[in-house]
Amino acid sequence: MKRKNQKVLISIAATLVIGIAGTIVFLSKSSKNEIPYSEFRITLENGMIKDLVIEGQELSGTRQDGSSFKTLNPGDPDLVKELMEKKVDFRGQKPDRLTFWVIGAGRVLLFIGMTYFMWRMFGRMLGFGNSKAKLITEDQVTVRFSDVAGCDEAKADVQELVAFLKAPGKFSRLGAVIPRGVLMMGPPGTGKTLLARAIAGEAKVPFFSVSGSDFVEMYVGVGASRVRDLFDQAKKKAPCIIFIDEIDALGRKRSMGNGGGHDEREQTLNQLLVEMDGFSGSQGIILIAASNRPEILDQALTRPGRFDRHITVNLPDVQGREAILKVHMQKVPSADTIEVNTIAKGTPGFSGADLANLVNEAALFAARSDKQQVELEDLEKAKDKILMGAERGASVMTEEEKHMTAYHEAGHVLVGYLVPEHDPVYKVSIIPRGRTLGMTMFLPERDALNASIEKLESQISSLYAQVRQLMA
C-alpha cells in the first residue's frame, strides 16, 4: 500500500509539473504579438499603422511593414479621432463570445486529455519493473487432485507439499525442511500446470502464475526487478505457491560467450538464484517450475538447495488415458454405450491435452449432427480427424486410384495378420484424409515398454508389404 501511495504522489507531482509547463508555453505563445498601449500610440503617431480591428477593448491589426500586433485599449476617448486623422483603415467587430468559450473549452479539454495521457504513461513507466505474475487467491483456485488424472505417481510425489502448506509446524518441529523448489518435467500437455494448480487447491493457498519469458526484457535490470517484486509479493501472501511455466526461457545454461554476466537473461537468472537462497522452507513459499526441456537448464538452478525435487510427468498409459477421458467426458453429455477403454487403447501417445481436444472435437461433431449427446461414432470421427486429418472425400480419386489404395492397405492388413506378435488390425480406410490416401491402424492390446526382435521384424514386414505392392 505504501508503494502504491508513493506512485500516486509521484504521478500527481509529474502531472502538475507538466500542466504548469504547458500553461507557461500556452501563455507565452498567446502573448507573443501583444504590445503595450503606449507603444501602440507611438506607432500610430508615426503613421506606421496600416489597419486596425476594434473588438471591445481588444485592438488587433497590422503595421505598414506587414507585422501584426495586439493590445488592449485602457479607455482612450480620442482613439477614433486620431485614427481618422492618420487615415488608418479601421473597423469595429462585435466580440464573438460563443467562439471564445468554444475555443477556451477546447483548450481546457485538450490540456486535460494530454495530462491524463501523460499520467497513464508515467504510471506505466513506474510499474515497468513490477512482476507480471497473476495472483489467484485461495478462493479462486478450484482445481483439486480429483480433476487431475493419468499421473498418479506425480500426485503421490507432491502429497507432502500439500501437507506442509497445510501444517508447516508438523515438519519444522522435527527440523525437517520442505524442498524450496519443485521442477516438473515432461512432454507438453501432460498436465504440469494443472497439477501445480491442484496443489494450491488442495492446500487452499494463493497461487502466483507467471511465464519464464515474462521476466526477460530488452532493458537490462528489468527482469531482476520483476523477480524481486514477485518474491516480495509472495512473502506477504505466505504460505503460497509460485509457479513459473516454461522456465527454460529464463534458466537456460549460462555461457562464457558474448555478453557474459551482463546479459539481461543471465542477470535475471542470477537474481532468481539469489532469491531462492534468501528464503527458507519455513516461510511457507514453494516455487514450482515446469519445463519441457530440463536438459538445457543451468546446473545452478537444478542443484540441491534450489530445485530439490524433480517430478517427471510422463505421457499417460492406457489406464491413465481412460481416467483422463472419464474426467473430460463428465463435462459433456455422453451416451452410456461408449466404451472408454476402447478409445483409450486406440490413442497411444496422446497427452492429457490431446485427450481433452479429442472430447471437444467429438462434441463438435455431435453438435453438427444435432445430437443430444456424444456417441461412440463421434469419438471415432474425432480420433480419425486428429490422427489422419479431415476427410477430403473420395471424389478426388479415380476408380483406378481407389483400387491401388485398397490393394496397398490390404498388404498391411494381410502381413500384419499373418506375422507373429503383431498388434491386431483395428481399422482400415481408403478415404483420403490430410496428406494420406488411406490408412491402416493397428490397436495395441496394452502399452508396451519394450519390444522383442520378433515383434520388431513383424512390424518391418507389415511396412515392407506396402513397398512390395508399390513395386509390383
Side-chain angles (χ1 to χ4, degrees):
M1 184 63 69
K2 182 178 179 181
R3 180 180 296 181
K4 185 176 181 180
N5 293 335
Q6 290 178 351
K7 291 180 180 178
V8 172
L9 292 176
I10 294 175
S11 299
I12 293 175
T15 302
L16 291 176
V17 171
I18 294 172
I20 294 172
T23 304
I24 293 174
V25 172
F26 173 76
L27 292 177
S28 63
K29 287 185 176 181
S30 62
S31 60
K32 183 177 181 181
N33 298 327
E34 190 170 348
I35 62 174
Y37 187 75
S38 58
E39 182 179 342
F40 165 73
R41 289 303 303 260
I42 295 173
T43 307
L44 179 61
E45 292 175 359
N46 293 331
M48 301 299 295
I49 303 298
K50 181 179 180 181
D51 54 50
L52 185 69
V53 177
I54 302 174
E55 187 175 354
Q57 290 184 324
E58 295 183 2
L59 306 177
S60 61
T62 56
R63 301 180 182 90
Q64 295 292 344
D65 58 2
S67 60
S68 59
F69 66 90
K70 291 181 180 180
T71 188
L72 289 177
N73 183 5
D76 187 354
D78 300 328
L79 177 60
V80 176
K81 181 180 178 181
E82 294 188 14
L83 290 174
M84 295 289 292
E85 293 177 354
K86 298 295 183 180
K87 298 182 180 180
V88 176
D89 184 13
F90 69 95
R91 60 187 174 87
Q93 182 173 320
K94 184 178 180 180
D96 190 354
R97 297 297 180 184
L98 178 60
T99 304
F100 173 79
W101 286 109
V102 169
I103 294 176
R107 290 173 178 174
V108 172
L109 292 176
L110 179 62
F111 172 73
I112 293 175
M114 293 182 62
T115 303
Y116 176 76
F117 173 76
M118 295 298 295
W119 190 337
R120 290 290 301 273
M121 186 176 66
F122 196 74
R124 291 179 181 178
M125 291 175 61
L126 289 174
F128 195 62
N130 293 349
S131 172
K132 293 185 177 181
K134 181 181 179 181
L135 172 61
I136 304 175
T137 61
E138 55 270 26
D139 299 332
Q140 296 173 331
V141 182
T142 58
V143 182
R144 300 292 185 268
F145 281 149
S146 59
D147 301 318
V148 183
C151 54
D152 295 336
E153 297 83 0
K155 285 197 292 186
D157 288 340
V158 300
Q159 288 289 346
E160 67 177 17
L161 300 179
V162 177
F164 170 76
L165 290 170
K166 286 185 175 180
K170 176 182 177 181
F171 297 85
S172 60
R173 64 183 177 85
L174 297 177
V177 179
I178 203 69
R180 300 181 182 180
V182 178
L183 179 61
M184 293 186 179
M185 308 174 293
T190 51
K192 298 183 289 294
T193 303
L194 189 65
L195 184 58
R197 287 177 176 266
I199 297 173
E202 291 288 341
K204 296 182 180 179
V205 296
F207 182 83
F208 289 89
S209 178
V210 66
S211 174
S213 59
D214 289 336
F215 293 102
V216 182
E217 292 284 351
M218 62 181 295
Y219 304 106
V220 177
V222 173
S225 175
R226 290 177 178 173
V227 171
R228 288 191 297 268
D229 185 68
L230 173 60
F231 278 85
D232 289 340
Q233 294 182 35
K235 291 174 183 177
K236 296 176 183 178
K237 296 290 184 179
C240 65
I241 291 177
I242 299 176
F243 178 70
I244 303 178
D245 197 10
E246 303 294 345
I247 196 173
D248 43 83
L250 168 65
R252 198 172 304 167
K253 290 180 181 179
R254 290 169 290 185
S255 63
M256 295 302 296
N258 294 332
H262 299 286
D263 181 72
E264 162 65 0
R265 182 183 58 81
E266 295 189 8
Q267 286 199 18
T268 306
L269 175 59
N270 292 336
Q271 186 63 41
L272 178 62
L273 300 177
V274 170
E275 293 292 340
M276 292 189 69
D277 290 336
F279 73 89
S280 60
S282 60
Q283 288 181 333
I285 301 175
I286 296 180
L287 181 61
I288 302 178
S291 175
N292 304 326
R293 300 179 295 169
E295 68 278 358
I296 69 171
L297 296 178
D298 195 276
Q299 293 182 354
L301 196 63
T302 58
R303 72 162 176 83
R306 301 268 172 71
F307 282 96
D308 306 272
R309 186 70 55 85
H310 295 175
I311 298 177
T312 303
V313 186
N314 289 316
L315 292 171
D317 56 13
V318 62
Q319 290 84 8
R321 294 196 297 273
E322 183 178 355
I324 293 173
L325 284 171
K326 289 180 178 178
V327 170
H328 290 294
M329 290 186 66
Q330 290 177 356
K331 304 175 183 178
V332 297
S334 55
D336 298 333
T337 57
I338 294 178
E339 297 181 0
V340 181
N341 182 262
T342 304
I343 302 298
K345 286 183 178 180
T347 52
F350 273 45
S351 65
D354 294 328
L355 295 172
N357 183 43
L358 171 66
V359 175
N360 182 66
E361 287 289 343
L364 293 176
F365 276 113
R368 294 190 192 105
S369 302
D370 294 330
K371 296 181 180 179
Q372 299 300 320
Q373 57 186 2
V374 177
E375 299 176 357
L376 180 61
E377 178 188 5
D378 303 313
L379 288 169
E380 290 290 344
K381 289 181 179 179
K383 184 178 65 175
D384 293 343
K385 180 180 179 181
I386 293 173
L387 291 175
M388 298 180 290
E391 291 186 10
R392 290 188 291 163
S395 59
V396 299
M397 300 173 60
T398 64
E399 290 297 324
E400 182 180 358
E401 290 172 338
K402 291 178 183 178
H403 281 86
M404 292 180 63
T405 303
Y407 278 110
H408 176 92
E409 301 301 333
H412 294 301
V413 175
L414 290 175
V415 176
Y417 177 76
L418 295 174
V419 294
E421 296 191 22
H422 200 283
D423 295 329
V425 179
Y426 174 64
K427 179 181 291 186
V428 182
S429 173
I430 61 170
I431 298 177
R433 289 178 176 271
R435 295 178 294 176
T436 64
L437 297 179
M439 188 174 185
T440 300
M441 296 178 61
F442 298 95
L443 183 64
E445 296 179 348
R446 65 179 184 88
D447 290 346
L449 301 178
N450 49 36
S452 63
I453 295 178
E454 190 173 21
K455 183 174 183 177
L456 293 176
E457 290 177 345
S458 297
Q459 291 178 347
I460 294 174
S461 298
S462 65
L463 294 174
Y464 185 63
Q466 67 166 328
V467 180
R468 290 286 299 272
Q469 178 61 36
L470 289 174
M471 294 173 58

